[in-house]
Each structure stands twice: as structure tokens, then as C-alpha cells.
Amino acid sequence: MTPARTRAPRRRPRRLLAVALAALTLVAVSACAAIPVSGDVRSGQTIKDESVSGVDFRPDGPSDGADQTTILRGFIAAATGAQNNYAIAREFLASGFSQKWNPRQGVTISDGSGSVERVGGRELTYTLTASATVDSDGEYTQAVRPTTSTLTYQFVREDGEWRIAYAPDGIILSPVRFESVFQQHELYFYDPSYDFFVPDVRWFLARSSVSTRIVSALLAGPADWLKGAVVTAFPEGTQLSLNAVTIDNGTAQVDLSSDALRASTSDKLRMRAQLTKSLASVASVSSVTMTIEGAAITLPETGSSGGVDAQQNPDVDPRPLVVANAKAGYASGDSVSSLGGGIGAQVADLDPTALSLSASGTLAAVQNADGVWVVRSGRPRLRVDTRTDTVPPAVDDLGSGSVWVADRGDPSEVTSYSVAGQPHQVATTLPKGQLVSFEVSRDSTRALALLQTSDGPALYVMAIIRDQDRVPTAFGAPVRVQAASGDAVSAAWISDTDIASVGQTEDGPEIVRTTIGGKSSTLPKPDGTATTIVGGSGGSLLLRLADGAVLQSTGGGWESTGVECAVLGTQR
């Protein structure tokens, strides 16, 4: 990981609906944009900022003779109208404050209508229940529990009418309104080996200028919580040269500053791949052309390097990976096809309680009553950890591969073992609790930890920080996301953006699907007692019940796979 490809944290002042955001018991994440300090001043292109969501709200402006409460509620309702930089909402503001208010500083997503209270002759408060926030960089933070916040608004008389003389920066939207005017997009970075694309989910206004906002955010670098785990091909300081991305007949024209000239041909190919992947969610973009200070760049259309071959959200075998009938392999009905290379027999002989298999199928991590074992094709099995109170081990495919072992009683005790058995203690700041599940993403850049705490299940995502030899050394700051309620059972990666957690309740297993940097949903409840959940093929889920039956998620619920097993394994 060279200095030209990594991003050092840069600070930028921000005011994000301070009262509302402080109340959310979450780890804040942010990414910072580079600000040019030299070079000629250039005129940028005018951005035509029109709605592209199919919904263009036209809220009402203030009415004559309206009292303070009506003005306040009208101002909050006008946040749905982003046209002309929220011109209608600004009509509710005093002339001296109208241009000081920054609606793009953040969004508070509020469930239900807030309550208004008077605290003075010219001051009202607005109390709301916040379910999530989005900051100025488009990063979505979901409240683990709905949080009550109180915002203060001040008023002044202008030409006989009440106007707002002070309001917190940012806007307030209901969940329905938010989904109508904002859209989810993924920025794409690389793992340190450039083998995988790693997504960074953001939310931007559904305006015609969204392509410019996506590219600007991509050039600014990953969210704070991902820094150190992912890399970018853009040289440090690279920005949009004309401050806008233009789209002509489906082709997005991205003109970069001269900083991009420092990139090698391979890195330019990777840069183009990052832009192509990141703009793929924009309906009006079908291809990307990259220039530097207006000059065309000659690059091959395809190739074996430069990020072209990097994988995005790799899939797994659609068959459940199981241990059943004294065999370890892929199951179809009552039959089990043993893993090749002699791995299947070695795994089965260990009488496993947990199993994780690498993407290549040549490395397996096995847990049994004697500890954790590394099983490799053509090699004798190796016991790397003798502890018996650990959570199911995880496999890491980066480099020659490694096996992760985490202590059930102490979440700070996480060890990454090389395939030769060399231990590497990995520093973590996970809170105290009973660790239930630990899993590494298929791109080997992030870890997922499910804990049972005094407040119930807690689910965290962390970046994996590595040294120059790709050896894990630490985790980034844990980001808490929505978890299932009840007694924590298991958690898994579904895709490169989505995770799932299971909690056992009196009414059965509760399964929650969460997008990292996005929303959560509760899946239908299957009957029975859950023991293990793993990611299946094509974004599906596999769930093992206490009686050994394996279920698969469907669009409307769960259906039997016809497989019964002693262990349901995790595929990379």
C-alpha cells in the first residue's frame, strides 16, 4: 500500500444538526474532501439540479398572518423541496439568516410528527424521534433505538410577518419522504491487494447533479471507519477539474485535476474502474470517459490488470456447506459431495462443531472439542488454538490466507493465525459482552461481530487494518448497526453491503437484514430454534435449526432445502 494510494485523515469543520446527532448512540463516520490551496482559479460549469427520482415535491411557502408554530411546521415540511437550493424553505427564514442556513449539512429522519413547545416569546422547540441521520457526506447512520431530540428555533418580525431568525443546519424528513428524495449509491474502493472492489454506501439527493456528488465523494476518499482497510487508485489531492461531471448520451465525462497525472497506466485503469463501478447506480450513465485537465487519456478498453479483473461481491456455491453423515462437503438433499483435495476427509475426521471454507476450497478452519484447526489441501492438519471457549472460526483469503479465532468471553481477544500457525493478536475496541459470532467479509477488509450485552444483542462492523505485509494488526472503530432482538444467536455476511443477525425470541427466531450504511428490515420468522445463519448464493440466506434442518430464505419467507446436518459451514 503506497503513500500515493492511501488517504490520510483530513479535517473539515461541520455542523450537523448538533442536538439531533449527539443524541444518537452510534459511532459517527465521515469522509473528508480535499481543498485546493494552489493553482489557477477556473470557472466551473453550471449544474442543472433537477429531480431524477420521479417525485418532485412542491411544498407551500409561508401564508400571510401565520403564527410562529405554523411557520415552523411549514418550514420543516418545505424540506422536501430541494429545487433552487431549497428556495421555498428559505422563504420561511428571516432575510439576515436565509443564506446562512445550510440545508445540505445533514438529514434527520424522524418517525411521526414532532411536537412544538413555546419556551419564550420568540423561541420554540421542536421535539422529534430520530430513527436515522445522514451527514453532509451522504453517510447514513441508523439509530439502534429511536432517539428523542429537541431542536430550538428563534423568530423575528419582518414586515409584520413571523420569520425564523435561527434554525439548526440540515433538514428533517419522514422515512417515506426521505426515500422519495434521496437514493442509495455505492462508492467503490479496493482491498489492499486490488483483488476486490469494496463498497462504501452513501445517500444523495435524487437530483441530476448526483453524478458530480458521487465522483466528488469518491475522490474525497472512504468513510472514516473504512480508512486503513481500503485503498484508492486516485493520487492524493485529485479532484474534479471543472467541479462537475457532464453526461452526454449516456457517457459520463469526468475531467480530473493535474494530480491524476502522477498515476501509472495500471492505476489509471483502476481509476476508471472505480468511476465506472461507482457511477453504475446512476440510471442516465452507461459508460465513463476520463480526462485530465481536458486532455484525453489513451487506455486499453480491457486488460488483465488495473482493477479490471477485481471481483465485486463474489458468489458462493448454491449448495449448503455441511458436515453430515460422516462427510464434509456440499449437500443436495440426502447426499453430501465431499470436499476435494483430501480436505473433506480431514475435516470430517475432526468431528467438527463449526466449519469455514476459503473461496479456493483449499483452506478450511475447523472448530472441535480440542480447539481450532487449519486444514489445507495436501498438508497435514494443524491445531492452531487449544482454547475450547471460542466462537466459530473465520477464514481470511488475503495473501496465503489465515484463520481468525475470537474468545467468547472476551471480545478484545481476537487472534489471526497464519496457515503455518503463527499467531497475530489483533487490537480491538469492542465493548464488553459475550461474543456470539465473528465473521470476515469475502473481500477480507471488514469484520462482523455479534455480542450479547446487558442491553441485548449488539452488532458491530469493523475495518481490518493490516501492515505492509498484509498481516492484520488492528480493527478500526466499531460501527454499531441494527441487530435482531432476543438472545443473540448468529450473524453472517450476505453480500458486500448486507449482513444478517439472528436472535431467538419466545415467538421464534428473529432475523434482521441490514445494509451497512443503509436501512434494516426484519425477515419473516421461521418455526423452530435457530443455531446458525450463513450467507448463501445470490444474496440468499441459509439457516440451520436445532433439529439439524437447513432452511433457505425466499422472497416471501423460508423453505426447506431438504438438507439435515450436524454443522452448517460458512463459504467465502
Side-chain angles (χ1 to χ4, degrees):
M1 187 163 53
T2 63
R5 294 172 182 163
T6 57
R7 297 275 177 173
R10 297 190 292 265
R11 295 184 178 179
R12 179 176 61 186
R14 57 178 61 186
R15 295 176 295 162
L16 300 175
L17 284 173
V19 176
L21 289 177
L24 293 176
T25 57
L26 299 171
V27 179
V29 294
S30 62
C32 306
I35 300 176
V37 295
S38 61
D40 297 333
V41 176
R42 303 178 61 184
S43 297
Q45 300 180 7
T46 300
I47 301 175
K48 190 177 181 181
D49 205 19
E50 297 178 343
S51 173
V52 295
S53 66
V55 179
D56 207 353
F57 291 98
R58 300 286 177 177
D60 294 328
S63 57
D64 292 342
D67 60 18
Q68 293 177 15
T69 298
T70 303
I71 291 294
L72 174 55
R73 290 197 178 276
F75 169 69
I76 292 171
T80 57
Q83 306 92 330
N84 301 318
N85 195 17
Y86 293 88
I88 295 177
R90 294 183 193 276
E91 293 178 11
F92 291 86
L93 305 179
S95 57
F97 178 68
S98 175
Q99 297 308 309
K100 294 180 181 179
W101 175 64
N102 183 1
R104 299 185 186 273
Q105 200 63 47
V107 184
T108 296
I109 302 168
S110 175
D111 293 326
S113 178
S115 61
V116 177
E117 291 188 14
R118 179 168 300 282
V119 294
R122 294 172 179 259
E123 188 169 287
L124 298 178
T125 60
Y126 185 80
T127 301
L128 55 86
T129 300
S131 59
T133 59
V134 176
D135 70 11
S136 60
D137 294 314
E139 295 176 35
Y140 183 107
T141 303
Q142 186 171 28
V144 176
R145 296 178 181 84
T147 305
T148 300
S149 302
T150 299
L151 308 177
T152 299
Y153 297 81
Q154 297 174 353
F155 292 80
V156 67
R157 283 275 193 184
E158 284 190 350
D159 298 327
E161 301 290 345
W162 287 112
R163 293 294 181 263
I164 298 172
Y166 170 78
D169 284 338
I171 62 175
I172 301 169
L173 294 173
S174 70
V176 173
R177 291 288 189 262
F178 174 75
E179 292 180 27
S180 298
V181 298
F182 277 77
Q183 291 179 341
Q184 177 182 313
H185 300 273
E186 289 80 40
L187 312 182
Y188 281 94
F189 299 92
Y190 291 101
D191 78 294
S193 67
Y194 291 96
D195 289 334
F196 295 96
F197 288 108
V198 182
D200 182 355
V201 173
R202 306 292 180 94
W203 291 80
F204 299 110
L205 271 169
R207 316 300 291 177
S208 56
S209 58
V210 68
S211 56
T212 298
R213 295 187 173 97
I214 289 172
V215 174
S216 296
L218 179 67
L219 297 177
D224 278 349
W225 75 274
L226 274 174
K227 289 178 180 176
V230 298
V231 296
T232 182
F234 293 94
E236 181 73 23
T238 302
Q239 301 172 69
L240 279 171
S241 179
L242 296 177
N243 301 319
V245 173
T246 59
I247 300 174
D248 185 15
N249 292 324
T251 298
Q253 176 68 50
V254 181
D255 190 38
L256 302 172
S257 63
S258 59
D259 303 271
L261 291 170
R262 301 197 307 269
S264 65
T265 299
S266 292
D267 278 345
K268 289 188 178 82
L269 284 166
R270 292 180 176 124
M271 290 157 56
R272 186 176 66 184
Q274 279 185 266
L275 289 169
T276 301
K277 291 291 184 183
S278 299
L279 289 170
S281 58
V282 180
S284 58
V285 175
S286 57
S287 62
V288 175
T289 299
M290 189 173 66
T291 57
I292 299 178
E293 296 288 351
I297 306 171
T298 302
L299 293 173
E301 288 302 314
T302 59
S304 59
S305 63
V308 175
D309 293 336
Q311 297 184 66
Q312 178 185 350
N313 191 29
D315 208 351
V316 298
D317 195 296
R319 297 169 296 174
L321 173 65
V322 304
V323 178
N325 303 324
K327 288 185 178 181
Y330 296 107
S332 179
D334 295 333
S335 64
V336 177
S337 177
S338 184
L339 297 173
I343 287 183
Q346 288 198 64
V347 170
D349 286 346
L350 288 169
D351 193 16
T353 55
L355 168 65
S356 182
L357 184 68
S358 68
S360 65
T362 60
L363 170 65
V366 179
Q367 181 188 53
N368 69 1
D370 296 321
V372 175
W373 302 74
V374 171
V375 179
R376 289 191 288 166
S377 180
R379 301 289 183 93
R381 63 197 183 204
L382 172 66
R383 184 167 61 173
V384 294
D385 198 301
T386 60
R387 289 174 293 174
T388 58
D389 192 22
T390 60
V391 298
V395 171
D396 179 351
D397 281 309
L398 196 62
S400 59
S402 58
V403 170
W404 294 76
V405 182
D407 190 281
R408 189 177 298 275
D410 186 356
S412 66
E413 286 290 327
V414 180
T415 306
S416 173
Y417 291 93
S418 70
V419 292
Q422 183 179 4
H424 302 281
Q425 194 71 25
V426 185
T428 175
T429 56
L430 281 170
K432 292 182 179 180
Q434 187 84 359
L435 188 62
V436 174
S437 181
F438 179 89
E439 189 57 64
V440 176
S441 61
R442 292 171 187 165
D443 50 47
S444 301
T445 60
R446 297 157 293 167
L448 176 66
L450 176 64
L451 285 74
Q452 182 70 42
T453 71
S454 57
D455 293 329
L459 186 61
Y460 294 91
V461 179
M462 305 170 290
I464 301 174
I465 312 301
R466 303 173 185 268
D467 63 18
Q468 60 184 5
D469 296 320
R470 309 288 189 256
V471 175
T473 58
F475 294 110
V479 178
R480 189 170 182 180
V481 296
Q482 189 67 46
S485 61
D487 294 327
V489 173
S490 182
W493 290 91
I494 306 174
S495 67
D496 56 357
T497 59
D498 286 16
I499 56 180
S501 59
V502 181
Q504 188 67 35
T505 72
E506 293 182 356
D507 298 327
E510 179 177 282
I511 298 113
V512 172
R513 180 173 184 143
T514 299
T515 297
I516 302 169
K519 300 175 294 181
S520 298
S521 61
T522 300
L523 303 184
K525 285 186 178 181
D527 294 328
T529 301
T531 63
T532 311
I533 194 166
V534 301
S537 175
S540 65
L541 285 166
L542 296 172
L543 182 70
R544 180 185 181 273
L545 301 178
D547 61 5
V550 177
L551 308 181
Q552 183 173 20
S553 61
T554 62
W558 297 86
E559 63 181 20
S560 174
T561 62
V563 173
E564 292 187 4
C565 63
V567 173
L568 176 63
T570 299
Q571 301 182 57
R572 293 281 301 162

